[in-house]
Amino acid sequence: MRAAWLGLPLMFAGSIAMADGNCGKVTIADMNWNSATLIANVDRFILEHGYGCDAELVPGDTMPTGTSMTEKGEPDIAPELWSNSIKEALDKAVAEQRLRYAGKALSDGGEEGFWVPKYLVEKNPELATIQGIIDNASLFEHPEDPDSAAFYGCPAGWNCQISSGNLFKALKLEDAGFDLLDPGSGAGLSGSIAKSYERQEPWFGYYWAPTAVLGKYEMVKVDFGSGVDPEMFKGCITQTECDAPGVTMYPPSLVQTVTTEGFANRAPEAYDYLTRRSFKNADMNALLAWMEDNQADGDVAMEHFLTEFEGTWSGWVKPEVAEKVKVALKNL
């Protein structure tokens, strides 16, 4: 009996190995922004070389990929899906056992807020709070109006223009002397931060992570002292018609990895890797900054990440899988 009992784990392990050996063709959505294409390329390389999958990248974007996975069962994997916008449809597909939530692509979630440069807070710690900002409004010089202070909002036409504008009202920043500036574009907004950093000047405005900008420039998220009020945020702050906006911090956006049920069933160990694979925003910010500085695409960034962040990704896989990936890296 003892010999038979000892054989059971080996038989079970063999069945898993066989399942992953038959992983077969796996399609991975390659979204059209840098963090997503980096993660997609990392997944492709690890699934191919660590788990024996025939992994292929296919073009993707949030809405069409989510819809296709829900209705057609393809692609097999969406590595970085900002799921709030299609959460109802995804939840239904998960409940019907057509899709699975593997885990969080970004462990911190997508992060939004009002920010100031770290060098300001080091000189004046109270500037890490909204009351400190209001008390020192004169520090934040307006580029065109010497009688006003500058708050850099979100570009016109972006969804975040609504939330940042409503929070500007809720915090009564106009009463404190601030003017809500439209930077004109994403480049205009990031350029204003870069310019202030080069001159070591005060800057106050909206931004989000993970981004190359927050990888290059150390910023501190301003504490409103309110915590997060999800109902206020969803029901008013994000709405065009928000008559009585209240103060709330931005809640983190859920950024998940989603797979088909078929993939999870036929390749359980590969699926398990996806449940463990999660990037911290600080790491992703640094990677995005590296991609921008080196004009690197997802494939080049993947090699950089697997080479320079071995301590991170090796914790997502078993030692024998890590060894296979390392060998494949040496052969690139």
Side-chain angles (χ1 to χ4, degrees), residues 256-290:
Q256 295 174 288
T257 297
V258 179
T259 78
T260 61
E261 187 70 19
F263 166 78
N265 284 329
R266 74 175 182 267
E269 286 203 334
Y271 173 80
D272 183 64
Y273 149 72
L274 293 174
T275 69
R276 299 172 185 274
R277 190 267 293 123
S278 188
F279 289 79
K280 296 179 180 178
N281 277 351
D283 287 344
M284 184 57 76
N285 286 338
L287 288 163
L288 294 176
W290 184 89

Short mmCIF file of all heavy atoms in Angstrom, two decimals, residues 256-290:
data_model
loop_
_atom_site.label_atom_id
_atom_site.label_comp_id
_atom_site.label_asym_id
_atom_site.label_seq_id
_atom_site.Cartn_x
_atom_site.Cartn_y
_atom_site.Cartn_z
N GLN A 256 -6.13 43.26 -14.99
CA GLN A 256 -6.07 41.83 -14.79
C GLN A 256 -5.51 41.08 -16.00
O GLN A 256 -5.47 41.60 -17.11
CB GLN A 256 -7.48 41.30 -14.51
CG GLN A 256 -8.08 41.81 -13.20
CD GLN A 256 -9.51 41.38 -13.04
OE1 GLN A 256 -10.39 41.87 -13.72
NE2 GLN A 256 -9.77 40.45 -12.12
N THR A 257 -5.09 39.85 -15.73
CA THR A 257 -4.78 38.90 -16.79
C THR A 257 -5.97 37.95 -16.89
O THR A 257 -6.40 37.37 -15.89
CB THR A 257 -3.50 38.12 -16.48
OG1 THR A 257 -2.40 39.02 -16.44
CG2 THR A 257 -3.26 37.06 -17.56
N VAL A 258 -6.51 37.82 -18.10
CA VAL A 258 -7.69 36.99 -18.33
C VAL A 258 -7.33 35.90 -19.34
O VAL A 258 -6.62 36.16 -20.32
CB VAL A 258 -8.86 37.83 -18.86
CG1 VAL A 258 -10.09 36.96 -19.12
CG2 VAL A 258 -9.21 38.94 -17.87
N THR A 259 -7.79 34.68 -19.09
CA THR A 259 -7.54 33.57 -20.02
C THR A 259 -8.86 32.87 -20.36
O THR A 259 -9.86 33.03 -19.65
CB THR A 259 -6.58 32.51 -19.45
OG1 THR A 259 -7.28 31.68 -18.53
CG2 THR A 259 -5.39 33.16 -18.76
N THR A 260 -8.81 32.09 -21.42
CA THR A 260 -9.95 31.23 -21.72
C THR A 260 -9.92 30.03 -20.78
O THR A 260 -8.87 29.63 -20.26
CB THR A 260 -9.91 30.72 -23.17
OG1 THR A 260 -8.71 29.96 -23.36
CG2 THR A 260 -9.95 31.89 -24.15
N GLU A 261 -11.09 29.44 -20.55
CA GLU A 261 -11.18 28.25 -19.72
C GLU A 261 -10.45 27.09 -20.40
O GLU A 261 -9.81 26.26 -19.72
CB GLU A 261 -12.64 27.89 -19.49
CG GLU A 261 -12.86 26.76 -18.51
CD GLU A 261 -12.53 27.13 -17.07
OE1 GLU A 261 -12.48 28.34 -16.75
OE2 GLU A 261 -12.34 26.19 -16.26
N GLY A 262 -10.50 27.04 -21.73
CA GLY A 262 -9.83 25.97 -22.45
C GLY A 262 -8.34 25.96 -22.23
O GLY A 262 -7.73 24.90 -22.02
N PHE A 263 -7.71 27.14 -22.28
CA PHE A 263 -6.27 27.21 -22.03
C PHE A 263 -5.95 26.78 -20.61
O PHE A 263 -5.02 26.00 -20.38
CB PHE A 263 -5.77 28.64 -22.27
CG PHE A 263 -4.39 28.88 -21.72
CD1 PHE A 263 -3.27 28.43 -22.41
CD2 PHE A 263 -4.21 29.54 -20.51
CE1 PHE A 263 -1.99 28.62 -21.89
CE2 PHE A 263 -2.94 29.74 -19.99
CZ PHE A 263 -1.83 29.29 -20.68
N ALA A 264 -6.71 27.28 -19.63
CA ALA A 264 -6.44 26.95 -18.24
C ALA A 264 -6.55 25.45 -17.99
O ALA A 264 -5.78 24.88 -17.20
CB ALA A 264 -7.42 27.71 -17.33
N ASN A 265 -7.47 24.79 -18.67
CA ASN A 265 -7.67 23.35 -18.47
C ASN A 265 -6.57 22.51 -19.13
O ASN A 265 -6.12 21.51 -18.56
CB ASN A 265 -9.03 22.92 -19.03
CG ASN A 265 -10.17 23.32 -18.11
OD1 ASN A 265 -10.00 23.38 -16.90
ND2 ASN A 265 -11.33 23.61 -18.68
N ARG A 266 -6.14 22.91 -20.33
CA ARG A 266 -5.18 22.06 -21.04
C ARG A 266 -3.73 22.34 -20.62
O ARG A 266 -2.85 21.52 -20.88
CB ARG A 266 -5.32 22.23 -22.55
CG ARG A 266 -4.79 23.52 -23.14
CD ARG A 266 -4.89 23.50 -24.66
NE ARG A 266 -4.34 24.71 -25.25
CZ ARG A 266 -5.05 25.79 -25.56
NH1 ARG A 266 -6.36 25.80 -25.32
NH2 ARG A 266 -4.48 26.85 -26.10
N ALA A 267 -3.48 23.46 -19.99
CA ALA A 267 -2.11 23.80 -19.58
C ALA A 267 -2.12 24.38 -18.17
O ALA A 267 -1.86 25.57 -17.96
CB ALA A 267 -1.51 24.79 -20.56
N PRO A 268 -2.43 23.55 -17.16
CA PRO A 268 -2.60 24.06 -15.80
C PRO A 268 -1.35 24.71 -15.21
O PRO A 268 -1.45 25.67 -14.45
CB PRO A 268 -3.03 22.83 -15.00
CG PRO A 268 -2.60 21.66 -15.82
CD PRO A 268 -2.70 22.10 -17.24
N GLU A 269 -0.16 24.18 -15.52
CA GLU A 269 1.05 24.78 -14.95
C GLU A 269 1.35 26.12 -15.63
O GLU A 269 1.81 27.06 -14.98
CB GLU A 269 2.23 23.82 -15.07
CG GLU A 269 2.16 22.67 -14.09
CD GLU A 269 3.53 22.07 -13.82
OE1 GLU A 269 4.42 22.18 -14.69
OE2 GLU A 269 3.69 21.49 -12.74
N ALA A 270 1.10 26.19 -16.92
CA ALA A 270 1.28 27.46 -17.62
C ALA A 270 0.29 28.50 -17.09
O ALA A 270 0.62 29.66 -16.89
CB ALA A 270 1.10 27.27 -19.12
N TYR A 271 -0.94 28.06 -16.83
CA TYR A 271 -1.94 28.95 -16.26
C TYR A 271 -1.51 29.40 -14.87
O TYR A 271 -1.66 30.58 -14.51
CB TYR A 271 -3.29 28.24 -16.18
CG TYR A 271 -4.33 29.04 -15.44
CD1 TYR A 271 -5.02 30.09 -16.05
CD2 TYR A 271 -4.62 28.76 -14.10
CE1 TYR A 271 -5.95 30.83 -15.36
CE2 TYR A 271 -5.55 29.50 -13.40
CZ TYR A 271 -6.22 30.54 -14.03
OH TYR A 271 -7.14 31.29 -13.33
N ASP A 272 -0.94 28.49 -14.09
CA ASP A 272 -0.49 28.83 -12.74
C ASP A 272 0.57 29.94 -12.79
O ASP A 272 0.59 30.83 -11.93
CB ASP A 272 0.07 27.59 -12.05
CG ASP A 272 0.48 27.88 -10.62
OD1 ASP A 272 -0.40 28.21 -9.81
OD2 ASP A 272 1.68 27.78 -10.31
N TYR A 273 1.45 29.88 -13.80
CA TYR A 273 2.44 30.95 -13.97
C TYR A 273 1.73 32.30 -14.11
O TYR A 273 2.13 33.30 -13.50
CB TYR A 273 3.32 30.68 -15.20
CG TYR A 273 3.80 31.93 -15.91
CD1 TYR A 273 4.78 32.74 -15.33
CD2 TYR A 273 3.28 32.31 -17.14
CE1 TYR A 273 5.21 33.90 -15.96
CE2 TYR A 273 3.70 33.46 -17.78
CZ TYR A 273 4.66 34.26 -17.19
OH TYR A 273 5.08 35.42 -17.81
N LEU A 274 0.66 32.35 -14.90
CA LEU A 274 -0.05 33.62 -15.12
C LEU A 274 -0.72 34.12 -13.85
O LEU A 274 -0.89 35.33 -13.68
CB LEU A 274 -1.09 33.44 -16.23
CG LEU A 274 -0.52 33.19 -17.63
CD1 LEU A 274 -1.65 32.88 -18.61
CD2 LEU A 274 0.29 34.39 -18.13
N THR A 275 -1.07 33.21 -12.94
CA THR A 275 -1.67 33.66 -11.68
C THR A 275 -0.62 34.29 -10.77
O THR A 275 -0.96 35.06 -9.87
CB THR A 275 -2.33 32.48 -10.92
OG1 THR A 275 -1.32 31.58 -10.45
CG2 THR A 275 -3.32 31.74 -11.80
N ARG A 276 0.65 33.96 -11.00
CA ARG A 276 1.75 34.48 -10.17
C ARG A 276 2.42 35.70 -10.80
O ARG A 276 3.03 36.50 -10.09
CB ARG A 276 2.80 33.40 -9.95
CG ARG A 276 2.28 32.17 -9.23
CD ARG A 276 3.33 31.05 -9.23
NE ARG A 276 2.82 29.83 -8.64
CZ ARG A 276 2.84 29.56 -7.33
NH1 ARG A 276 3.34 30.44 -6.50
NH2 ARG A 276 2.34 28.43 -6.88
N ARG A 277 2.30 35.84 -12.11
CA ARG A 277 3.00 36.90 -12.83
C ARG A 277 2.28 38.24 -12.63
O ARG A 277 1.18 38.45 -13.08
CB ARG A 277 3.08 36.55 -14.32
CG ARG A 277 3.98 37.47 -15.11
CD ARG A 277 3.26 38.61 -15.75
NE ARG A 277 2.35 38.17 -16.79
CZ ARG A 277 1.06 38.44 -16.77
NH1 ARG A 277 0.50 39.10 -15.78
NH2 ARG A 277 0.28 38.00 -17.75
N SER A 278 2.95 39.15 -11.91
CA SER A 278 2.35 40.45 -11.62
C SER A 278 3.46 41.48 -11.45
O SER A 278 4.47 41.22 -10.77
CB SER A 278 1.50 40.37 -10.35
OG SER A 278 0.77 41.55 -10.15
N PHE A 279 3.30 42.63 -12.07
CA PHE A 279 4.31 43.69 -12.03
C PHE A 279 3.93 44.78 -11.03
O PHE A 279 2.77 45.21 -10.98
CB PHE A 279 4.46 44.34 -13.41
CG PHE A 279 5.11 43.48 -14.44
CD1 PHE A 279 4.40 42.47 -15.09
CD2 PHE A 279 6.44 43.66 -14.79
CE1 PHE A 279 4.99 41.68 -16.06
CE2 PHE A 279 7.05 42.88 -15.76
CZ PHE A 279 6.31 41.88 -16.39
N LYS A 280 4.90 45.23 -10.26
CA LYS A 280 4.70 46.41 -9.41
C LYS A 280 4.81 47.66 -10.27
O LYS A 280 5.59 47.69 -11.22
CB LYS A 280 5.74 46.45 -8.29
CG LYS A 280 5.65 45.29 -7.31
CD LYS A 280 6.73 45.39 -6.26
CE LYS A 280 6.64 44.23 -5.27
NZ LYS A 280 7.71 44.28 -4.25
N ASN A 281 4.04 48.68 -9.93
CA ASN A 281 4.08 49.90 -10.72
C ASN A 281 5.46 50.54 -10.77
O ASN A 281 5.87 51.09 -11.79
CB ASN A 281 3.06 50.92 -10.20
CG ASN A 281 1.65 50.66 -10.72
OD1 ASN A 281 1.46 49.82 -11.60
ND2 ASN A 281 0.67 51.34 -10.17
N ALA A 282 6.19 50.48 -9.64
CA ALA A 282 7.52 51.08 -9.62
C ALA A 282 8.43 50.41 -10.64
O ALA A 282 9.19 51.08 -11.36
CB ALA A 282 8.12 50.98 -8.22
N ASP A 283 8.36 49.07 -10.71
CA ASP A 283 9.17 48.34 -11.70
C ASP A 283 8.71 48.67 -13.12
O ASP A 283 9.53 48.87 -14.02
CB ASP A 283 9.08 46.83 -11.46
CG ASP A 283 9.85 46.38 -10.23
OD1 ASP A 283 10.69 47.16 -9.74
OD2 ASP A 283 9.60 45.26 -9.76
N MET A 284 7.40 48.69 -13.32
CA MET A 284 6.89 48.96 -14.66
C MET A 284 7.22 50.39 -15.10
O MET A 284 7.56 50.63 -16.26
CB MET A 284 5.38 48.72 -14.72
CG MET A 284 4.80 48.88 -16.12
SD MET A 284 5.58 47.81 -17.38
CE MET A 284 4.83 46.22 -16.98
N ASN A 285 7.13 51.34 -14.18
CA ASN A 285 7.52 52.71 -14.52
C ASN A 285 8.96 52.76 -15.03
O ASN A 285 9.26 53.41 -16.03
CB ASN A 285 7.39 53.62 -13.30
CG ASN A 285 5.95 53.95 -12.94
OD1 ASN A 285 5.06 53.87 -13.77
ND2 ASN A 285 5.72 54.33 -11.69
N ALA A 286 9.85 52.06 -14.31
CA ALA A 286 11.26 52.04 -14.70
C ALA A 286 11.45 51.36 -16.06
O ALA A 286 12.24 51.82 -16.90
CB ALA A 286 12.09 51.32 -13.63
N LEU A 287 10.71 50.28 -16.29
CA LEU A 287 10.81 49.57 -17.57
C LEU A 287 10.30 50.44 -18.72
O LEU A 287 10.88 50.46 -19.81
CB LEU A 287 10.03 48.26 -17.50
CG LEU A 287 10.67 47.17 -16.64
CD1 LEU A 287 9.65 46.10 -16.29
CD2 LEU A 287 11.87 46.55 -17.36
N LEU A 288 9.21 51.16 -18.49
CA LEU A 288 8.66 52.02 -19.54
C LEU A 288 9.61 53.17 -19.85
O LEU A 288 9.75 53.58 -21.01
CB LEU A 288 7.29 52.55 -19.11
CG LEU A 288 6.19 51.50 -18.97
CD1 LEU A 288 4.91 52.13 -18.45
CD2 LEU A 288 5.93 50.81 -20.31
N ALA A 289 10.26 53.70 -18.82
CA ALA A 289 11.25 54.75 -19.04
C ALA A 289 12.41 54.21 -19.87
O ALA A 289 12.91 54.88 -20.78
CB ALA A 289 11.75 55.30 -17.71
N TRP A 290 12.84 52.97 -19.57
CA TRP A 290 13.93 52.35 -20.34
C TRP A 290 13.49 52.15 -21.79
O TRP A 290 14.27 52.40 -22.72
CB TRP A 290 14.30 51.00 -19.71
CG TRP A 290 15.47 50.34 -20.36
CD1 TRP A 290 16.79 50.49 -20.04
CD2 TRP A 290 15.43 49.44 -21.49
NE1 TRP A 290 17.57 49.74 -20.90
CE2 TRP A 290 16.77 49.09 -21.80
CE3 TRP A 290 14.40 48.91 -22.25
CZ2 TRP A 290 17.10 48.23 -22.83
CZ3 TRP A 290 14.73 48.06 -23.30
CH2 TRP A 290 16.05 47.71 -23.57
#
